[in-house]
Amino acid sequence: MSSSISPQEQSRALFERAVAVTPGGVNSPVRAFNAVGGTPRFIRSASGAWLTDVDGNEYVDLICSWGPMLLGHAHPEVQAAVADAVARGTSYGTPTEPEVELAEEIVARTPVEKVRFVSSGTEATMSAIRLARGATGRDIVVKFAGCYHGHVDALLAAAGSGVATLADGDRDALALPGSPGVPASSTALTLVLPYHDRAAVTAAFAEHGDRIACLITEAAPGNMGVVPPEPGFNEFLARTCAEHGALFISDEVMTGFRAGREGQWGLDGKQEGWTPDLMTFGKVMGGGFPAAAFGGRADLMAQLAPEGGVYQAGTLSGNPVATTAGLTTLRLATDDVYAHLTRVGEQIKAATADALTAAGVPHVIQSTGTMFSVFFTDRPVRDFDDANTQDTAAYAAFFHAMLDRGVHLPPSAYEGWFLSAAHDDRAVQTVIDALPAAAAAAAKGAA
Ligand SMILES: *Cc1c(COP(=O)(O)O)cnc(C)c1O
């Protein structure tokens, strides 16, 4: 099968200009092609399931802005609502109706009683942690390796070698900075544990329980590829926190309104009968604009300024254009949308498994609700160490073969493949047609 994609002259030219004025030529590292090689495609426009780059090439989009575009690109009703909002002015710095309506929609779909809007998922987790520390009067934060919560200093932490020595109360158990520029003092109060490791959680709380303000986890990890929490794991976390007077923060920035209508909580907490103390949202709820939120129990949220003493603020928080986009998106995110995502996801997962199996490429496909990812490894992925067994060279070859055939996957083996309501038969068929050659390329590119 020959490549359907023409040379990327315009993308290459733009990338050269971008690199001259922007670190790495991108404004967020996930957009770079460092992990797969080559030049990122510069996208000129998008419609439904399709991206069009500046050279006029079309791609089925399996990134969907890393989650937000649940309805597909340039959805006519979202566009009309946004155009209407823009015509009324774009920011006032005063309260507006769409903020109230979007908050009501989020409260209706999730167990949170009150929400506060911010402009990014990073701000949401950062603020939720401040609130947890303020409310408990404690300082330690527990997180899991491989869970990403935005670029908050305290959460850009890597597990030290001390997890095993935790029971000794060794300070080495506390985390090391995960990035230059993060001071050790910012991560000295962060504990990083292996995901799914109940014994490590129990030991951490036994040792530090009276100092732990909160445990934050992705409701279902999606930032090391999709790792569905084993049944009862989130419930165990919620219960352990409650037993020690710590708060359980469920980060649904990625899973919220995407894994299902009520996010990951609708898939586990709702059935099992537990509720996070605080939750964070972003991505889908912004409808493609910078909007995110954190929320939770009314008594906790009451501790935020101006009602309470924990300070938190934002010039563009609850922006009327962004909240209009998010509100319109959520109102259109009906059960039919999630059923469609499930159906299309099953087709793509089955075709991908067939193609990789036929080519002899080791792989594991994991899902939670409508979210899924394909791991280029031979073992089930329960934690970050498992995810790191992937053959990233095989993925790079697979990625480029798909891109050459008009399918834009995430340029990293550690990401979900995102779908939208606009992924129709033609889009799915384009993916299916590209898979055999890409699987063959992966077999050849394998390390
Ligand atoms: C994307 C993401 C964030 C960060 O959101 P930004 O808007 O990129 O700051 C936080 N948590 C999770 C689980 C995410 O997927």
Side-chain angles (χ1 to χ4, degrees):
M1 187 174 172
S2 71
S3 168
S4 62
I5 298 298
S6 66
Q8 290 82 51
E9 282 158 36
Q10 302 298 325
S11 274
R12 289 215 180 96
L14 274 173
F15 188 57
E16 249 175 61
R17 285 170 55 195
V19 165
V21 291
T22 302
V26 293
N27 282 299
S28 195
V30 293
R31 299 176 199 168
F33 274 22
N34 293 13
V36 291
T39 307
R41 302 302 185 262
F42 281 65
I43 302 304
R44 184 177 61 205
S45 65
S47 178
W50 297 83
L51 301 171
T52 303
D53 73 13
V54 287
D55 292 287
N57 301 306
E58 293 200 328
Y59 307 89
V60 178
D61 182 13
L62 294 183
I63 299 179
C64 289
S65 187
W66 304 92
M69 308 319 296
L70 185 78
L71 304 177
H73 296 283
H75 189 286
E77 284 178 64
V78 177
Q79 276 196 324
V82 165
D84 244 40
V86 168
R88 291 191 299 272
T90 56
S91 182
Y92 321 123
T94 65
T96 61
E97 186 172 0
E99 292 165 80
V100 181
E101 292 188 296
L102 181 57
E104 287 169 348
E105 179 75 28
I106 291 172
V107 166
R109 281 191 188 225
T110 71
V112 304
E113 293 171 343
K114 286 192 175 184
V115 293
R116 167 65 58 84
F117 291 123
V118 291
S119 299
S120 72
T122 296
E123 254 188 287
T125 60
M126 178 187 80
S127 305
I129 284 170
R130 184 181 307 140
L131 177 56
R133 285 173 162 162
T136 58
R138 301 173 176 183
D139 50 14
I140 292 179
V141 174
V142 181
K143 79 173 288 281
F144 293 110
C147 281
Y148 177 69
H149 304 289
H151 61 102
V152 180
D153 273 0
L155 300 177
L156 285 182
S161 56
V163 173
T165 61
L166 194 64
D168 310 325
D170 193 329
R171 287 282 300 185
D172 290 344
L174 297 172
L176 306 170
S179 161
V182 174
S185 58
S186 291
T187 53
L189 296 170
T190 307
L191 268 169
V192 183
L193 306 178
Y195 192 70
H196 270 143
D197 190 337
R198 291 183 187 222
V201 173
T202 301
F205 276 85
E207 183 64 30
H208 302 284
D210 57 351
R211 282 188 64 194
I212 295 175
C214 59
L215 178 150
I216 183 167
T217 184
E218 286 190 64
N223 284 289
M224 52 174 146
V226 174
V227 178
E230 284 168 3
F233 184 62
N234 281 329
E235 182 182 25
F236 161 76
L237 298 178
R239 193 175 60 239
T240 304
C241 286
E243 281 166 9
H244 290 86
L247 300 182
F248 179 48
I249 305 178
S250 182
D251 180 355
E252 294 236 28
V253 170
M254 183 181 282
T255 51
F257 321 111
R258 177 165 273 283
R261 197 181 181 283
E262 300 165 311
Q264 178 65 29
W265 176 83
L267 304 174
D268 53 23
K270 193 179 182 182
Q271 335 302 333
E272 295 165 359
W274 52 268
T275 301
D277 296 296
L278 294 171
M279 299 178 79
T280 52
F281 306 103
K283 298 197 167 99
V284 169
M285 63 148 281
F289 282 79
F294 63 106
R297 292 199 331 251
D299 66 299
L300 286 173
M301 295 302 287
Q303 301 197 35
L304 272 185
E307 210 173 334
V310 178
Y311 193 70
Q312 192 281 326
T315 301
L316 292 177
S317 294
N319 172 271
V321 181
T323 47
T324 296
L327 177 65
T328 310
T329 297
L330 288 188
R331 284 184 174 163
L332 291 167
T334 59
D335 290 342
D336 286 350
V337 166
Y338 297 102
H340 175 84
L341 258 51
T342 301
R343 202 162 49 240
V344 173
E346 293 306 327
Q347 288 175 294
I348 290 179
K349 284 189 281 186
T352 304
D354 286 351
L356 291 173
T357 301
V361 178
H363 63 280
V364 174
I365 300 181
Q366 298 189 172
S367 315
T368 189
T370 70
M371 281 171 42
F372 70 96
S373 71
V374 180
F375 293 94
F376 282 65
T377 183
D378 57 3
R379 66 172 77 169
V381 175
R382 294 180 69 249
D383 62 22
F384 197 39
D385 284 347
D386 293 333
N388 283 328
T389 64
Q390 290 194 91
D391 184 341
T392 52
Y395 182 76
F398 181 82
F399 168 85
H400 276 292
M402 293 295 280
L403 195 64
D404 284 348
R405 287 162 183 79
V407 180
H408 204 319
L409 289 164
S412 161
Y414 292 80
E415 304 289 347
W417 296 11
F418 292 101
L419 298 170
S420 79
H423 282 69
D424 56 8
D425 290 346
R426 185 168 78 93
V428 172
Q429 197 57 50
T430 302
V431 176
I432 291 173
D433 290 346
L435 283 165
K444 258 200 237 153

